[in-house]
Amino acid sequence: MERWKGMLYLFGAFTLAGTSVITAWLLNGKLGAFTITAISLLLALMILVPMRLQALVRTLRRRAGTNWRQLLLQAVFGMFLFRMFMLFGLSHTSAAEAGIITGATPAITVVLASLVLKERVNRFSLLGIASTVSGIILIQGLFSQDYSFTVQHLIGNVLVLCAASSESVFNILSRMSSTKNDGRSQQPVDPVVQTTLVSAIAFLLCLIPAGFEHPLRSLAGIAWEEWLALIWYGPFVTALAFVFWYAGIRRCDASTAAAFSGMMPFTALVLSVVLLGQRAGVEQWAGGLLVAGGMVLIGVNQKRIGGERNIGKSGLNLNTAKRT
């Protein structure tokens, strides 16, 4: 039951995360990248801090130095670098392509989970990774007859790919933190409190560079549509999505999170076509199908591993019963 809860939380987290691509595209060019991140985090903190103020104070009193390092790394990769790469990347590529390229997150997460967490990778995972990489190459239009190399476009896609990589590193860091806490039998940190701490650290990281973007003057010049986008980017994409994420990752392993991260590119692609009126060409849709196929293969792999684990546990219980 807990695992199903975790998967439901992860579904919500990555669906909301997919809307960040559209929100960032709407705000891009109206405000500086660091200003967008700082204001959205501030709006999120205005909701999160009052919500769990007492629990936040208790957590601050008992956190050790190692935990602070983990929170700092999560803030750097999960919020700061992810948003910087995404916002700068969207200056050179479309929201539709950016949404598809974030589909590389599952493959990168599986590779990191194998190297860092020693999670098993079988042929389904390898096929999923190969499918994802092929899809990303196809999205670039390298095999099109009328293909023309555009440095700016390529730079934009590479930056979005860096954002996907940052998201994958964040996934692994979160799982490592959850596993260490379980191993030490520590009381798990409330997801809202953990989101608050990580958001506060990321906010502090953005303050100085945002100051060079003349934020007050920029904010005074935006319309109500941009303010609505900032509000969505803060309390929903930041606060709610990360609360769902921390609630889900403590119940599921990194490979399960990798499979559900496929909701991010799917949501971004659909919204970019429906809301923004952007068009995706045949090669982009074909690349998207390959990326989606990679996510399905990775998800099938996780389901098989989960079944094998259950069988192993049943066998272990049976052997124990025989011995007794």
Side-chain angles (χ1 to χ4, degrees):
M1 185 62 181
E2 284 298 303
R3 190 167 182 272
W4 282 105
K5 280 185 181 180
M7 290 191 289
L8 186 61
Y9 281 129
L10 291 174
F11 177 85
F14 284 110
T15 300
L16 286 171
T19 67
S20 67
V21 178
I22 309 303
T23 310
W25 188 88
L26 290 171
L27 291 169
N28 207 22
K30 309 290 180 58
L31 297 169
F34 295 101
T35 301
I36 294 172
T37 304
I39 297 300
S40 63
L41 289 171
L42 178 61
L43 292 173
L45 289 170
M46 291 172 63
I47 301 295
L48 292 168
V49 173
M51 189 184 301
R52 286 288 192 277
L53 182 58
Q54 293 183 350
L56 180 62
V57 173
R58 288 196 301 269
T59 302
L60 289 172
R61 288 175 177 174
R62 62 182 173 85
R63 299 292 286 181
T66 302
N67 300 116
W68 282 111
R69 287 193 293 271
Q70 293 169 0
L71 290 173
L72 174 61
L73 289 173
Q74 290 174 34
V76 169
F77 286 97
M79 292 188 180
F80 185 78
L81 288 180
F82 173 80
R83 296 190 179 196
M84 292 307 103
F85 283 133
M86 182 63 69
L87 288 166
F88 286 125
L90 284 169
S91 300
H92 307 292
T93 190
S94 67
E97 283 198 30
I100 296 173
I101 292 172
T102 56
T105 302
I108 300 172
T109 302
V110 167
V111 172
L112 292 176
S114 174
L115 296 175
V116 179
L117 302 179
K118 307 302 180 185
E119 292 183 5
R120 190 170 62 180
V121 179
N122 61 14
R123 64 180 182 276
F124 286 95
S125 290
L126 292 175
L127 285 173
I129 293 169
S131 180
T132 301
V133 172
S134 300
I136 293 174
I137 293 174
L138 193 59
I139 289 168
Q140 307 308 309
L142 298 179
F143 303 108
S144 175
Q145 292 182 352
D146 56 349
Y147 171 74
S148 58
F149 180 78
T150 305
V151 175
Q152 293 297 319
H153 183 75
L154 179 62
I155 290 175
N157 286 348
V158 169
L159 287 172
V160 174
L161 188 60
C162 289
S165 301
S166 299
E167 177 72 17
S168 297
V169 173
F170 170 73
N171 294 347
I172 299 302
L173 290 169
S174 300
R175 183 58 187 170
M176 288 175 63
S177 177
S178 176
T179 303
K180 287 180 180 179
N181 288 338
D182 291 341
R184 295 172 183 170
S185 300
Q186 293 181 348
Q187 183 180 357
V189 181
D190 182 86
V192 178
V193 173
Q194 193 164 2
T195 302
T196 304
L197 293 173
V198 172
S199 299
I201 295 172
F203 173 70
L204 293 175
L205 292 173
C206 293
L207 276 182
I208 295 177
F212 292 98
E213 296 176 340
H214 307 289
L216 296 179
R217 186 174 63 189
S218 300
L219 289 169
I222 63 175
W224 64 270
E225 294 93 342
E226 283 77 35
W227 277 109
L228 286 178
L230 280 173
I231 292 171
W232 179 262
Y233 208 16
F236 292 95
V237 175
T238 300
L240 188 58
F242 274 83
V243 169
F244 283 166
W245 162 257
Y246 284 118
I249 196 61
R250 72 175 49 172
R251 293 173 171 87
C252 302
D253 56 23
S255 297
T256 302
F260 276 93
S261 63
M263 285 305 302
M264 186 163 60
F266 177 77
T267 303
L269 178 60
V270 171
L271 291 178
S272 65
V273 174
V274 174
L275 297 181
L276 304 181
Q278 295 185 353
R279 293 185 177 182
V282 175
E283 288 198 353
Q284 289 176 321
W285 284 110
L289 287 175
L290 283 173
V291 171
M295 292 183 292
V296 171
L297 288 168
I298 292 170
V300 169
N301 171 64
Q302 178 58 28
K303 185 176 180 181
R304 286 169 59 90
I305 292 177
E308 291 172 2
R309 286 175 179 169
N310 292 333
I311 293 173
K313 289 179 180 179
S314 301
L316 180 60
N317 293 334
L318 181 61
N319 291 334
T320 304
K322 287 180 178 179
R323 290 174 185 171
T324 55

